[in-house]
Each structure stands twice: as structure tokens, then as C-alpha cells.
Amino acid sequence: MNDQQLNLVSLFSRIEQLEQHLLIVRKYSTGLKRQLDCVTEQFNNRPELQEWELLKREFAELKKQQNIILGLSDRTFNSQTLDSPPSNETKEDAEIVKEFFQRVDRQLQQDSPTPTVEESQELTSNNEQIISFHHEEIDPVEQETEFSIFTDEEFKIERMLLLLMRNETDEEESLETPVSAEEFLRRCQCGEKDFTGINLADSDFSKKSISWQVNLSKAHLKGGNLSNGSFSCLNLSEANLENADLYKANLQSSKLKSANLKNANLSEADLVNAEMSGANLIETDLWKANLQGAKLTEANLSNANLRKAKLITANLNNTNLSKAILIEADLRSAKLRNANLMGADLTKANLRGTSEYSSQAVDFYGANLKGIKLQQALYDENTRFPEGFNPSEAGAYLIAPSICLQNADLSGADLSGANLTEANLKGANLSKAKLTSANLSGANLTGVNLQAAYMNQINLSCTNLTGLNLIKVDLSNANLSAATLNKTDLREANLTSAKLRGSDLQEADLRAANLSYADLSGANLTGAKLGGANLQYAKLAGAIMPNGTVHE
């Protein structure tokens, strides 16, 4: 097949495409006509012409789209004829094609006329008068083509799909020639820094490192593999990372402002202090991601997976978190003013203000909490909710002194530094809970489950721990002064440097426990089991030993 024949095949293919577009436009025109009929009926009941003005804009938009389609076709025709060798036969074919385009243009003008002011007035005065659409024959192929009338919903959907197709086409046409990961890294090594808008789609940067000095703003990294890579402080503003794999990637202090991370995998990624305001994170996987101190203002995190994510001190003001999964997420000291949390799941989330990093209260002022799930979530007296919202009614637990949390399920909860002095925790489940530096002095712990809880530096002074199972529990540096530990099971427990002055340890089981450097001055160890216990450097002055003797 020679060049001339190839050109003709290409032109005829383009003609078929244009005919399909024409068919769609005719369907749009039918849908618009139906909408105009509805407006005609409404004119008899109200004087407003707002709907009419809306339809005029719809006509203008369709006309604009029509001109774009025809313009693309003309440019395609002109470029192809310029490349073709001159011949009489080619000119005749070109004339045929041009005549076809002219007929299409006339047909579209007849099928999609722009309403005039006079027509609008006629429509107002006579509701039975409507704009007519004349259909002129184009060619035999057009005559044989049948089309169904769109419903209102189908019309809206088709219009949105056409606009999306146009946007995607524009984006694809604007992309640069793809560059491989190897070529990109080679250019980096040669000292090149500015890669604004570079096309690195589907490139493999797993376990690779890119210098913070490199500029990848507006880069195209859709579908790329960046897992386990190091990209801290990197400029990725407005970059397209849709569907990219960033599992365990180091993105500390990275610039991701207005970046597209839709459906990307950021599970266990390090995003500490990252700038992500305005980013698209719809349906993004952020499971166990570290977003401490990250700026996510006005970002879209709808339907995102933030389960067990660390969001301590993160700025989420004006962020869209609708239907996001925030189960067991750590939101201590986070800012959530005017955020949209409609339908979000914050089961077991930590919403307290106290952390080792900040004492700032969590702020939900102005937030949309409609349909939010807060079962077993933790909050304190400083947590700020919207006016009229009751977190306790939504299933959340208030962590405060003297609070009643009887039979509460706090398993695995992070209560580090919590103030629960004299709280009623009878029958509560605190297994595997983090109670580091928490204050539970004077609390009622009858029947509480503390198995595998983390209790180093906890304050349990004057607390009744009778008969509890504290096997292998970490109580190093804990304050157990004057605590009641009768018949408590402390086998293999870590009590290094613990304060047990004046505590009651009668019949307690301390076998293989580590009591090195512990202060047991004045403690009562009558009947206690100390086999294999480490008492090196322990203070036992005045303590009553298991055999009843008083240690000097």
C-alpha cells in the first residue's frame, strides 16, 4: 500500500470517528430539546428564566465542543495533505473530504441551533411553540444510523464522560516523551536538577534514592514503583502519582502540595512533616503511615485507608475525610477544624491532647461529624468537638480523673501519660494497653485485665492490685508505693528500679521476677514466693521477708 492509499485510509477512519461524534451531539440535542420542553411548561407558572439561561450555556458548550472536534479534524486533514505528494487524484479526494466536513458543519448548525432572544420571547408567550430541530440528509451511512433518545440521567452521564475523555486526551497529548528510570538517574548524576513535568510513568525507583535538590514538580509518575525508596525533602508538588507504589518510602519533609496520589500505596510510608496541602488522596492506602506533623489542609482523603496511621500534631483543617478509615489512628494533638468526617470510621482512634510531642488539644471545631463512628475512641477533657456533639453517645471513652470506665474495652489502647487517678476501671480490659507514664494512683482495678500491658514508669501508688495476673509485665521504674499486691502473680515481671516502699506483697508470686535496684523498704513480703528472683542492689531495709523476719 503506497503513501497516498495510507493517507486515504487514515482520512476515512477520521471521518468515521467524526460521524460517531456527530451522533452523540445529535443525542445531546434531543436531550436539550426535552429540557426546553420542561422549561416551556414552567414559564406558565413562574417568570424566572434562569433555567432558560442555563440551557443557553449548555448549547454554547456543545457548540464549543463541536468546533473543537471539527478543528482537530481540519488540522489532521491539513497536516496529512501537506505530507502527501501532489497529484490530481489526491486533490480530488481532499475536496471530497472537505465537502463532507462542510456538510457536517451545516448539519450540526441545523441540529444544534443557538436560541435567540426572539425565540425566547416566543417561548414565553406561547408554551406550545418549541424550537424545531431539522435533520438534513448527510450521506447513506448517516441515513442508516439509528439512535435512541437519552433519558435525563443518561444525558448528564454522557456529557460528563465526553468532558472526561477530552481532559484525558489533552493530558496525554501534553505529556513529554517517556523517560526510563535509568536515563533519569544518569541525568541526575550528570548534575541536572530541574525535571519539571518529566514523564516517568510506570518507572521503577524501588529502593532508589533521589536527592532533595532535584525538582520533580508536575512530574508524571503514574503507576511508578517507588517502594522502599528514599525521597526525603523532594519537591513533588503537583506531581501525578496516581496508582503509584510508595510502600515504606521515605518522604520525610517532602513537598507534595496539590499532588495526585489517588489510589496510591503509601502503607508504612514515612511522611513526617510532609507538605501535602491540597493533595488528592482519594482511596489512598495509608495503613500504618507516619504522618506526624504533616500538613494536609484542604487535601482530599475521602475513602482513604488510614488504619493505625500516626497523625500526631498533623494539620487536617478543611480536609475531606468523608468515609475514611481511621480505625486505631493516633490523632493526638491533631487539628481538624472544619474538616469533613461524614461517615468516617474512628473506632479506637486516639483523640487525646496529651502526647510526648505536644499537649495541644485535638480540635474538631466546625467539623462535619455526621455518621461518624467513634466506638472505643479515646478523648479527654480538652478535646474540642462541634457545639452540640456528644462523643460519649457516639461510643467514645472520656479519659479523665475519677471517670467511670467499668467493664470498658481498652485493649491495645494508647493511654501513655493519661490521668486516671481514682478512676473506676473495675472489670476493664487493658490487655496490651500502653500505660507508660500513666497515672492510675488510687484507681479501682478490681478484676481488670492487664496481661501484656506496657506499664513502665506508671504510677500505681495506693492502688489495689490484689490477685491480678501481671506475668511478664513491664513495671520498670513504676511507682507502686503503698500498693496492695496480695496474691498478685508477678512471675518474670520486670520491676527494675520500681518503687515498692510500704507495698503489701503478701503471698505474691515473684518467682523469676527482676527486682534489681527496686526499693522494697518497709514492704510486706510475708508468704511471698521469691524463687529465682533477682534482688541485686534492691533496697530491703525494714521489709518483712517471706519467713516473717524483718530485714535490717
Side-chain angles (χ1 to χ4, degrees):
M1 185 180 292
N2 57 35
D3 292 343
Q4 183 177 340
Q5 290 175 322
L6 285 172
N7 288 333
L8 286 174
V9 170
S10 177
L11 286 172
F12 285 128
S13 175
R14 187 60 182 166
I15 290 170
E16 291 178 358
Q17 293 177 11
L18 192 59
E19 288 175 343
Q20 292 176 2
H21 283 294
L22 175 61
L23 183 60
I24 292 174
V25 172
R26 292 181 66 184
K27 290 182 180 180
Y28 291 157
S29 300
T30 305
L32 288 172
K33 179 179 178 296
R34 187 188 305 106
Q35 292 186 5
L36 283 172
D37 291 340
C38 293
V39 174
T40 302
E41 295 176 359
Q42 293 173 3
F43 278 162
N44 292 327
N45 301 321
R46 59 191 179 93
E48 291 85 352
L49 294 175
Q50 296 178 355
E51 187 69 15
W52 173 244
E53 293 297 328
L54 176 62
L55 291 173
K56 286 172 68 177
R57 288 194 294 271
E58 292 285 353
F59 269 115
E61 178 64 21
L62 285 174
K63 187 67 179 177
K64 182 180 178 181
Q65 294 175 17
Q66 167 200 332
N67 292 336
I68 291 173
I69 294 171
L70 293 175
L72 288 172
S73 301
D74 287 336
R75 287 198 299 272
T76 302
F77 169 78
N78 292 334
S79 63
Q80 290 174 340
T81 53
L82 286 173
D83 294 337
S84 302
S87 69
N88 293 332
E89 185 179 355
T90 302
K91 290 181 181 178
E92 292 175 1
D93 292 333
E95 291 297 327
I96 293 172
V97 174
K98 282 193 173 182
E99 289 176 5
F100 171 78
F101 285 150
Q102 292 171 358
R103 291 202 307 274
V104 170
D105 192 28
R106 289 196 301 272
Q107 176 69 21
L108 288 173
Q109 289 175 358
Q110 292 174 354
D111 286 351
S112 305
T114 302
T116 64
V117 176
E118 290 76 9
E119 289 173 330
S120 175
Q121 293 173 347
E122 290 178 1
L123 190 59
T124 304
S125 61
N126 183 4
N127 67 319
E128 296 180 354
Q129 184 177 358
I130 61 174
I131 298 174
S132 61
F133 292 81
H134 302 285
H135 301 290
E136 177 183 311
E137 289 186 1
I138 298 176
D139 52 29
V141 177
E142 181 88 13
Q143 286 181 335
E144 295 176 2
T145 304
E146 296 181 358
F147 64 93
S148 58
I149 298 175
F150 283 164
T151 64
D152 290 339
E153 291 300 321
E154 288 174 338
F155 175 78
K156 293 176 183 177
I157 292 171
E158 285 289 340
R159 185 173 182 277
M160 286 189 291
L161 287 174
L162 184 62
L163 291 173
L164 286 172
M165 288 170 59
R166 187 179 68 183
N167 290 337
E168 289 177 0
T169 302
D170 291 344
E171 180 182 353
E172 290 175 0
E173 290 178 352
S174 64
L175 290 177
E176 296 182 359
T177 304
V179 177
S180 66
E182 293 76 13
E183 172 63 16
F184 168 78
L185 293 173
R186 185 193 65 77
R187 287 165 63 178
C188 287
Q189 290 176 354
C190 292
E192 192 171 346
K193 304 294 184 186
D194 191 0
F195 293 92
T196 303
I198 190 172
N199 186 358
L200 294 165
D202 301 313
S203 295
D204 188 355
F205 289 100
S206 58
K207 299 181 180 180
K208 299 292 191 301
S209 177
I210 299 177
S211 171
W212 64 271
Q213 297 175 317
V214 172
N215 181 9
L216 282 171
S217 60
K218 298 182 180 181
H220 189 74
L221 288 152
K222 185 175 181 180
N225 183 2
L226 293 88
S227 59
N228 295 286
S230 181
F231 315 108
S232 59
C233 302
L234 193 62
N235 185 0
L236 289 160
S237 301
E238 300 182 57
N240 186 357
L241 288 151
E242 184 176 350
N243 296 316
D245 186 0
L246 291 147
Y247 170 70
K248 282 191 174 182
N250 180 5
L251 290 157
Q252 279 193 31
S253 302
S254 57
K255 298 177 180 64
L256 288 157
K257 186 175 182 179
S258 300
N260 181 10
L261 289 151
K262 182 179 179 181
N263 204 36
N265 179 13
L266 281 160
S267 56
E268 297 189 64
D270 187 348
L271 289 154
V272 173
N273 296 320
E275 165 59 88
M276 305 176 75
S277 57
N280 181 358
L281 293 152
I282 297 174
E283 298 180 349
T284 300
D285 188 357
L286 288 153
W287 177 76
K288 278 191 174 182
N290 189 351
L291 290 150
Q292 182 180 322
K295 186 177 181 181
L296 290 151
T297 54
E298 299 183 350
N300 191 345
L301 285 150
S302 60
N303 293 290
N305 178 16
L306 288 151
R307 189 180 186 120
K308 294 187 176 182
K310 192 173 184 179
L311 289 152
I312 298 173
T313 68
N315 189 342
L316 294 153
N317 290 340
N318 301 297
T319 298
N320 183 2
L321 286 157
S322 59
K323 296 184 180 179
I325 299 172
L326 288 150
I327 298 172
E328 297 184 73
D330 193 344
L331 286 152
R332 284 177 292 172
S333 302
K335 300 175 184 177
L336 292 140
R337 292 172 68 92
N338 301 309
N340 180 10
L341 288 143
M342 183 185 292
D345 191 348
L346 278 80
T347 301
K348 289 190 173 185
N350 196 338
L351 307 174
R352 298 188 299 119
T354 305
S355 70
E356 60 269 39
Y357 306 101
S358 174
S359 58
Q360 174 183 289
V362 176
D363 191 357
F364 284 101
Y365 178 80
N368 182 357
L369 303 183
K370 185 178 180 180
I372 193 172
K373 296 179 182 178
L374 285 171
Q375 285 78 9
Q376 301 173 41
L378 310 178
Y379 71 102
D380 57 29
E381 295 173 307
N382 295 319
T383 306
R384 187 181 186 186
F385 289 97
E387 186 176 352
F389 182 82
N390 190 332
S392 296
E393 291 180 357
Y397 294 137
L398 173 60
I399 305 302
S402 304
I403 195 71
C404 181
L405 291 167
Q406 188 171 340
N407 298 316
D409 185 2
L410 294 162
S411 56
D414 190 343
L415 291 160
S416 303
N419 186 357
L420 287 163
T421 55
E422 300 184 3
N424 182 5
L425 291 158
K426 183 179 180 180
N429 183 4
L430 286 160
S431 59
K432 296 183 179 179
K434 296 178 181 178
L435 292 158
T436 302
S437 301
N439 188 354
L440 278 75
S441 61
N444 182 357
L445 296 173
T446 305
V448 72
N449 182 358
L450 287 163
Q451 290 184 5
Y454 303 91
M455 295 192 288
N456 55 308
Q457 299 182 25
I458 191 173
N459 186 354
L460 290 164
S461 59
C462 304
T463 303
N464 188 350
L465 299 160
T466 300
L468 294 183
N469 180 358
L470 297 174
I471 298 174
K472 294 184 178 181
V473 167
D474 184 3
L475 285 159
S476 58
N477 295 292
N479 185 356
L480 291 154
S481 301
T484 302
L485 294 150
N486 292 343
K487 297 181 180 180
T488 301
D489 195 343
L490 288 156
R491 284 177 291 170
E492 300 184 56
N494 182 5
L495 288 154
T496 305
S497 301
K499 297 178 180 67
L500 291 152
R501 295 174 63 89
S503 59
D504 187 352
L505 287 155
Q506 293 184 68
E507 299 184 39
D509 194 343
L510 288 155
R511 287 177 293 176
N514 187 356
L515 288 155
S516 59
Y517 297 97
D519 187 354
L520 289 154
S521 303
N524 188 348
L525 291 158
T526 303
K529 299 175 182 178
L530 291 168
N534 181 3
L535 290 162
Q536 187 176 15
Y537 304 115
K539 296 178 182 179
L540 294 164
I544 302 174
M545 303 307 289
N547 57 8
T549 62
V550 179
H551 197 283
E552 295 181 358

